[in-house]
């Protein structure tokens, strides 16, 4: 580290990820939605780093010259040796500074850097893995840039936050080169965990028994695994996105995470509670139009008694729980038929897969219904004109109502019959909206065939498989994903491997959802809320019971929801919508701030504790931090300031070990605006109270975390009383009483 004392109060932040201004997956959403709260804290001291994609960058980034002279000189020196880079503003909310490097400009150094990586860290790299090659070039360029920058800029501490293994290679390079940069590494899912869960293994109950090197080598990802593991071990602070992923990372990456940084959302609050209900009705009417066209000729169910269920995400048949969803739908169909229910469930599966084109039947259905609607509208206009003319020509004293049969002309009758006869259909409505590239071997279609859900008239559950992304220009289902979610009644996500789960989290905009206790979002809600099912967040147990019991529990939840009245569903949507502030970045952004604060404390302890070792002793460095209590003072609620932690204090860093309580953080005032104030709801939201007894056990909410040796609340109260009594006696003796 540098001998110069850097300013840790006004530190600089570089956040590095492969998906900066480059939409590939979920991390793009994390970075993009988190930007506003990070910019509000750091302002122009915040810059994002990512790879330069010539397809997206020109549309997303406004090029500018850097105002920081050290940054400008660093980029100039790198450009002089052939590094191509784009610096400017990312055109999203918050407009952060962004620095994008062209990895292709330095591919000539790839072999040299591969050899250096082997000599430096013993990480092997195969020649034909393009993604790893991109990762190596990008990692070396980022480490090069940060090393050059901190060599020029000596006055301010620099925090570098890296997301996922594709961006994390720079961390071991910075550590080996002793670059004066503080690093934070966040893994959103482990590589090996994703591969293992895709196979038929009992993943979570056997985590501690896996031979990680052997398993990674067997799957051909050993080199990637080594990069991910070295990034986790060399970072000053290592974090994950959920407790379930922290448990996984501890066993697979062999380092216990320092904390959990849950993913948030940019929550838009409505002026009135009924506004999002109106959005639901508008979006549902568009889905109704699709259903009329898709099921033409067999449209014999009442849309007022029809519920729309959906699941969405990457096409990971087992990891996303699609196998369990389809099996539960078959059982739900049986139970609805046996109970003579009038409710129809249309289940959508939105998962991009390899396709050729839209099916002719899907396109024809929408065209036929459109023709019928246009014809009826035309006849309706002509009929209205005739009725008006007849009424206006009638004498008021001798007014007569015309006979109904006179309004429809012979031409109208023929045209209407042609349109009605066009609705005849010999085949059943199609399951999928696209021609699949490999229909015979598609896992989803094969299971639908096995359970025989073919959209027949007798079935109360219909299935629509849409193997493509949703967008408003879609000729069949013309809705954006967010609008589609608003129009549905229930989201179903019975995932087996879901480190966080943005799809169920996005349902908190006002749509009830079903998730599992193996997803990060499910664990988050289970730890926060006393009875999450009452708030429209159903959590299925996929860990401590058999597959059969889990499917039955999922079926029970869907059947119970199907039997709710319209009023009950509206009430539940109201309850779900008020959960969204729990996921607001204005609440969860504090966890990122605490992770950066912990990293700075580890890198520059003297700046926080002074020469004497006590925090705040050096008057020169006044950070507004809360003075640490001496070890003799009990950890009593009298001294523990809850401050502005995440509700329920879930996701906080390991405060007991690192002395990083919420009261330690005074860097940014996370003030609430008038719109952010709590609304008054007629029904209370019952939050779980985190007791000190449970906080004694590390990872109490983590699978496998035991409580057998934890102290009870009674024991802790007795200890508090005894310590308070001893402290009072000591103080009295010192005063001579």
């Amino acid at each position: 580290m540098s001998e110069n004392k850097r300013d840790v109060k006004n530190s600089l932040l570089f956040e590095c990820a492969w998906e900066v201004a480059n939409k590939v997956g979920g991390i793009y959403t994390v970075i993009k939605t988190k930007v506003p709260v990070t910019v509000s804290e750091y302002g122009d001291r915040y810059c994002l780093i990512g790879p330069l994609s010539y397809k997206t960058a020109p549309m997303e980034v406004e090029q500018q010259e850097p105002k920081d002279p050290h940054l400008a000189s660093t980029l100039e020196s790198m450009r002089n040796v052939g590094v191509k880079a784009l610096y400017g503003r990312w055109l999203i909310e918050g407009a952060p500074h962004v620095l994008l490097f062209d990895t292709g400009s330095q591919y000539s150094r790839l072999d040299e850097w591969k050899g250096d990586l082997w000599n430096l860290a013993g990480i092997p790299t195969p020649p034909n893995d393009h993604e790893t090659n991109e990762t190596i070039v990008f990692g070396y360029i980022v480490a090069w840039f940060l090393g050059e920058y901190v060599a020029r800029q000596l006055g301010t501490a620099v925090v570098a936050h890296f997301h996922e293994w594709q961006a994390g290679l720079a961390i071991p390079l910075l550590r080996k080169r002793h670059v004066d940069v503080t690093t934070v590494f966040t893994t959103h899912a482990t590589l090996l965990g994703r591969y293992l869960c895709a196979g038929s293994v009992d993943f979570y109950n056997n985590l501690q028994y896996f031979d990680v090197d052997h398993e990674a080598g067997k799957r051909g990802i050993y080199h990637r695994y080594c990069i991910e593991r070295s990034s986790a071990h060399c970072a000053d602070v290592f974090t994950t996105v959920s407790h379930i992923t922290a448990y996984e990372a501890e066993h697979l990456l062999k380092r216990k995470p320092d904390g959990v940084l849950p993913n948030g959302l940019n929550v838009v609050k409505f002026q009135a509670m009924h506004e999002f209900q109106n959005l639901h009705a508008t979006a549902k009417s568009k889905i109704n139009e699709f259903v009329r066209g898709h099921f033409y000729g067999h449209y014999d169910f009442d849309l007022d008694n029809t519920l729309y269920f959906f699941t969405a995400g990457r096409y990971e048949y087992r990891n996303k729980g699609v196998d369990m969803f389809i099996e539960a739908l078959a059982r739900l169909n049986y139970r609805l038929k046996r109970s003579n229910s009038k409710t129809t469930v249309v289940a959508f599966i939105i998962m991009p897969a390899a396709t050729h084109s839209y099916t002719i039947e899907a396109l024809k259905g929408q065209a036929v219904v459109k023709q019928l609607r246009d014809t009826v509208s035309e006849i309706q206009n002509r009929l209205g004109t005739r009725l008006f003319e007849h009424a206006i020509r009638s004498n008021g004293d001798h007014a007569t109502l015309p006979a109904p049969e006179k309004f429809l002309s012979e031409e109208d009758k023929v045209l209407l019959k042609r349109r009605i006869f066009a609705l005849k259909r010999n085949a059943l409505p199609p399951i999928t909206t696209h021609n699949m590239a490999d229909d015979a071997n598609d896992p989803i279609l094969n299971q639908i065939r096995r359970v025989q859900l073919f959209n027949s008239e007798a079935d109360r559950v219909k299935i629509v498989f849409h193997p493509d992304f949703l967008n408003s220009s879609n000729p069949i289902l013309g809705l954006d994903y967010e609008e589609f979610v608003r129009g549905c009644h229930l989201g179903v996500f019975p995932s087996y491997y879901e480190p966080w789960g943005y799809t169920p989290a996005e349902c908190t905009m006002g749509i009830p959802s079903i998730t599992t206790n193996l997803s990060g979002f499910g664990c988050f809600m289970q730890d926060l809320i006393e009875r999450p099912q009452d708030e429209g967040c159903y959590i299925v147990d996929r860990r401590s019971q058999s597959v059969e019991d889990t499917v039955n529990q999922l079926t029970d939840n869907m059947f119970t929801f199907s039997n709710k009245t319209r009023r009950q569903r509206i009430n539940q949507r109201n309850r779900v919508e008020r959960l969204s502030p729990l996921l607001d970045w204005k609440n969860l952004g504090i966890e990122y701030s605490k992770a950066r604060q912990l990293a700075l404390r580890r890198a520059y302890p003297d700046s926080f504790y002074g020469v004497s070792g006590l925090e705040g002793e050096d008057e020169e460095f006044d950070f507004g931090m809360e003075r640490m209590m001496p070890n003799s003072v009990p950890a009593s609620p009298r001294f523990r300031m809850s401050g502005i932690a995440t509700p329920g204090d879930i996701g906080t860093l390991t405060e007991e070990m690192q002395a990083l309580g919420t009261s330690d953080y005074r860097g940014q005032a996370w003030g609430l605006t008038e719109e952010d104030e709590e609304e008054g709801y007629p029904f209370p939201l019952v939050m779980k109270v985190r007791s000190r007894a449970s906080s004694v056990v590390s990872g109490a909410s983590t699978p496998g975390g035991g409580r057998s040796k934890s102290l009870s609340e009674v024991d802790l109260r007795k200890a508090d009383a005894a310590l308070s009594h001893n402290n009072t006696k000591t103080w009295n003796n010192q005063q001579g009483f």
Side-chain angles (χ1 to χ4, degrees):
M1 293 293 178
S2 172
E3 294 181 358
N4 297 321
K5 222 165 190 180
R6 293 182 179 269
D7 178 9
V8 298
K9 182 179 180 182
N10 299 303
S11 59
L12 302 171
L13 174 61
F14 290 99
E15 191 159 10
C16 183
W18 191 259
E19 299 190 30
V20 171
N22 178 36
K23 187 172 183 178
V24 178
I27 300 176
Y28 176 88
T29 305
V30 177
I31 300 293
K32 184 177 179 179
T33 56
K34 187 175 65 67
V35 159
V37 296
T38 311
V39 169
S40 70
E41 182 179 1
Y42 279 86
D44 288 338
R45 294 180 288 117
Y46 175 52
C47 181
L48 289 151
I49 300 177
L52 176 57
S53 170
Y54 288 101
K55 291 182 179 179
T56 58
M59 295 175 288
E60 294 203 31
V61 178
E62 178 187 7
Q63 187 171 0
Q64 295 179 352
E65 289 298 321
K67 296 180 180 179
D68 182 351
H70 305 297
L71 183 59
S73 60
T74 301
L75 289 179
E76 182 65 25
S77 67
M78 295 180 70
R79 283 170 177 151
N80 289 338
V81 293
V83 178
K84 294 181 181 179
L86 173 64
Y87 180 85
R89 294 273 188 181
W90 191 3
L91 300 178
I92 59 174
E93 185 182 356
H97 293 295
V98 65
L99 176 59
L100 306 178
F101 289 109
D102 181 5
T103 55
S105 65
Q106 293 299 302
Y107 250 75
S108 58
R109 300 174 183 259
L110 178 61
D111 291 336
E112 174 192 345
W113 285 342
K114 281 187 173 183
D116 181 68
L117 185 61
W118 171 256
N119 294 328
L120 201 68
I123 297 177
T125 49
N128 299 321
D129 188 343
H130 176 71
E131 188 174 4
T132 302
N133 292 343
E134 289 281 321
T135 298
I136 292 172
V137 175
F138 181 64
Y140 268 84
I141 292 177
V142 172
W144 181 0
F145 164 76
L146 291 174
E148 290 265 356
Y149 180 75
V150 298
R152 288 176 166 81
Q153 193 279 114
L154 301 173
T156 308
V158 176
V159 179
H161 191 149
F162 298 87
H163 295 267
E164 282 297 292
W165 70 276
Q166 292 100 325
L169 181 62
I171 298 176
L173 299 178
L174 293 170
R175 174 60 65 90
K176 285 288 187 178
R177 296 172 183 176
H178 302 286
V179 177
D180 194 6
V181 172
T182 304
T183 56
V184 180
F185 179 62
T186 298
T187 181
H188 296 254
T190 66
L191 270 170
L192 188 55
R194 194 177 293 280
Y195 274 82
L196 286 171
C197 282
S200 299
V201 295
D202 188 2
F203 179 68
Y204 290 102
N205 290 323
N206 293 285
L207 261 177
Q208 62 269 37
Y209 306 119
F210 287 122
D211 182 345
V212 290
D213 292 328
H214 173 73
E215 296 291 345
K218 187 167 66 173
R219 288 162 176 79
I221 58 167
Y222 180 71
H223 52 291
R224 299 185 182 189
Y225 168 76
C226 289
I227 293 174
E228 183 179 39
R229 184 167 171 175
S230 64
S231 301
H233 280 264
C234 293
D236 293 314
V237 170
F238 172 46
T239 63
T240 65
V241 295
S242 63
H243 285 289
I244 193 78
T245 314
Y247 175 64
E248 170 189 344
E250 182 179 354
H251 290 285
L252 297 186
L253 299 181
K254 306 304 179 184
R255 177 179 176 181
K256 186 173 184 177
D258 296 298
V260 171
L261 309 181
N263 293 333
L265 298 168
N266 282 336
V267 176
V268 178
K269 289 200 172 184
F270 298 99
Q271 296 297 324
M273 190 181 297
H274 66 268
E275 288 187 30
F276 76 93
Q277 299 281 6
N278 293 340
L279 290 175
H280 166 74
T282 303
K284 188 179 74 169
S285 66
K286 294 182 180 180
I287 300 177
N288 287 346
E289 285 301 307
F290 163 80
V291 169
R292 290 189 183 100
H294 192 79
F295 292 94
Y296 84 94
H298 295 273
Y299 173 56
D300 57 349
F301 46 91
D302 182 9
L303 287 183
D304 288 336
N305 286 327
T306 299
L307 301 179
Y308 298 140
F309 295 178
F310 81 99
T311 189
R314 286 186 305 274
Y315 197 139
E316 296 181 8
Y317 174 68
R318 186 172 184 270
N319 285 357
K320 296 299 181 182
V322 187
D323 53 348
M324 189 166 288
F325 179 49
I326 296 173
E327 178 64 33
L329 286 176
R331 299 185 185 190
L332 174 65
N333 182 50
Y334 171 75
R335 293 180 65 173
L336 288 174
K337 289 195 292 186
R338 195 177 68 170
S339 62
N340 294 320
S341 174
K342 296 181 180 179
T343 301
T344 301
V345 173
V346 178
F348 292 89
I349 301 175
I350 312 295
M351 290 189 168
T355 61
H356 295 306
S357 60
Y358 295 107
T359 62
I360 295 177
E361 276 295 306
L363 291 170
K364 180 183 176 182
Q366 302 304 317
V368 165
V369 171
K370 184 178 184 303
Q371 283 182 336
L372 176 62
R373 181 173 293 279
D374 292 343
T375 299
V376 170
S377 297
E378 183 181 345
I379 295 174
Q380 187 178 6
N381 291 334
R382 290 204 291 261
L383 190 147
T385 302
R386 293 174 193 143
L387 180 60
F388 175 76
E389 289 294 331
H390 178 88
I392 202 170
R393 290 176 181 174
S394 299
N395 189 311
D397 296 331
H398 304 90
T400 58
L401 291 177
E405 60 271 9
K406 292 184 178 181
F407 283 99
L408 278 179
S409 66
E410 291 301 319
E411 180 187 356
D412 293 338
K413 293 178 182 178
V414 170
L415 189 59
L416 189 58
K417 285 181 180 179
R418 288 171 63 93
R419 296 292 178 255
I420 293 174
F421 289 164
L423 295 175
K424 290 181 179 180
R425 194 182 210 170
N426 296 322
L428 292 174
I431 297 293
T432 179
T433 58
H434 291 62
N435 292 308
M436 303 295 293
D438 190 7
D439 183 291
N441 297 312
D442 185 80
I444 291 179
L445 293 180
N446 281 337
Q447 189 180 1
I448 292 173
R449 294 177 184 120
R450 182 180 64 80
V451 299
Q452 298 183 5
L453 283 177
F454 296 132
N455 292 341
S456 65
E457 294 183 10
D459 288 334
R460 297 266 52 85
V461 174
K462 322 285 187 181
I463 291 185
V464 177
F465 178 27
H466 187 78
D468 196 4
F469 291 108
L470 292 175
N471 60 76
S472 55
S473 61
N474 190 318
I476 294 178
L477 189 56
L479 294 91
D480 290 324
Y481 177 73
E482 181 178 346
E483 190 178 9
F484 172 78
V485 172
R486 284 196 181 278
C488 290
H489 297 90
L490 181 69
V492 185
F493 313 98
S495 304
Y496 184 73
Y497 184 77
E498 191 74 80
W500 174 246
Y502 252 122
T503 42
E506 287 169 336
C507 286
T508 57
M509 66 178 70
I511 304 301
S513 63
I514 300 176
T515 184
T516 71
N517 59 355
L518 292 182
S519 73
F521 172 78
C523 292
F524 183 82
M525 284 300 176
Q526 205 167 34
D527 284 339
L528 278 180
I529 305 171
E530 191 63 40
R531 288 180 56 83
Q533 64 272 20
D534 292 345
E535 309 301 326
C537 184
Y538 301 89
I539 300 174
V540 173
D541 183 7
R542 285 206 66 172
R543 176 168 173 77
S544 60
Q545 60 183 7
S546 66
V547 173
E548 178 70 17
D549 292 339
T550 303
V551 173
N552 286 333
Q553 185 183 0
L554 177 59
T555 306
D556 289 340
N557 287 336
M558 291 195 294
F559 184 71
T560 301
F561 186 86
S562 301
N563 289 327
K564 287 183 180 294
T565 64
R566 181 183 178 87
R567 186 177 184 85
Q568 288 173 328
R569 294 197 303 270
I570 291 174
N571 181 44
Q572 193 165 66
R573 281 199 295 273
N574 288 333
R575 288 176 173 267
V576 172
E577 196 269 341
R578 66 178 180 157
L579 296 179
S580 57
L582 302 180
L583 300 172
D584 196 337
W585 276 120
K586 293 176 183 176
N587 293 325
L588 299 183
I590 186 72
E591 304 303 333
Y592 276 79
S593 298
K594 289 158 69 174
R596 294 189 288 265
Q597 198 70 253
L598 175 58
L600 287 170
R601 283 170 175 253
R602 288 179 173 176
Y604 307 102
D606 292 343
S607 297
F608 287 87
Y609 296 99
V611 178
S612 63
L614 291 176
E615 184 177 358
E617 286 297 311
D618 279 354
E619 297 296 331
E620 181 183 355
F621 298 99
D622 180 17
F623 308 107
M625 302 294 176
E626 189 77 13
R627 178 181 292 273
M628 295 293 297
M629 292 295 175
N631 291 332
S632 60
V633 178
S636 167
R638 295 191 300 272
F639 300 113
R640 181 178 176 83
M641 298 170 60
S642 60
I644 43 181
T646 308
D649 216 16
I650 189 70
T652 52
L653 296 175
T654 49
E655 299 169 0
E656 290 80 4
M657 298 173 58
Q658 306 299 338
L660 189 68
T662 310
S663 57
D664 289 328
Y665 180 72
R666 298 287 179 83
Q668 170 72 14
W670 298 76
L672 297 177
T673 63
E674 292 183 2
E675 290 80 5
D676 295 326
E677 291 181 0
E678 185 92 15
E679 294 104 340
Y681 284 91
F683 31 80
L685 177 61
V686 182
M687 306 290 289
K688 281 188 176 179
V689 179
R690 184 185 179 192
S691 67
R692 291 180 297 140
S694 63
S695 67
V696 170
V697 183
S698 176
S701 62
T702 303
R707 303 192 181 198
S708 57
K709 297 183 180 179
S710 63
L711 298 174
S712 67
E713 279 291 330
V714 176
D715 295 332
L716 290 170
R717 282 198 296 269
K718 289 180 180 179
D720 278 354
L723 286 169
S724 299
H725 178 68
N726 290 336
N727 289 340
T728 303
K729 288 179 62 179
T730 303
W731 186 80
N732 289 340
N733 292 334
Q734 289 174 349
Q735 299 299 320
F737 294 137

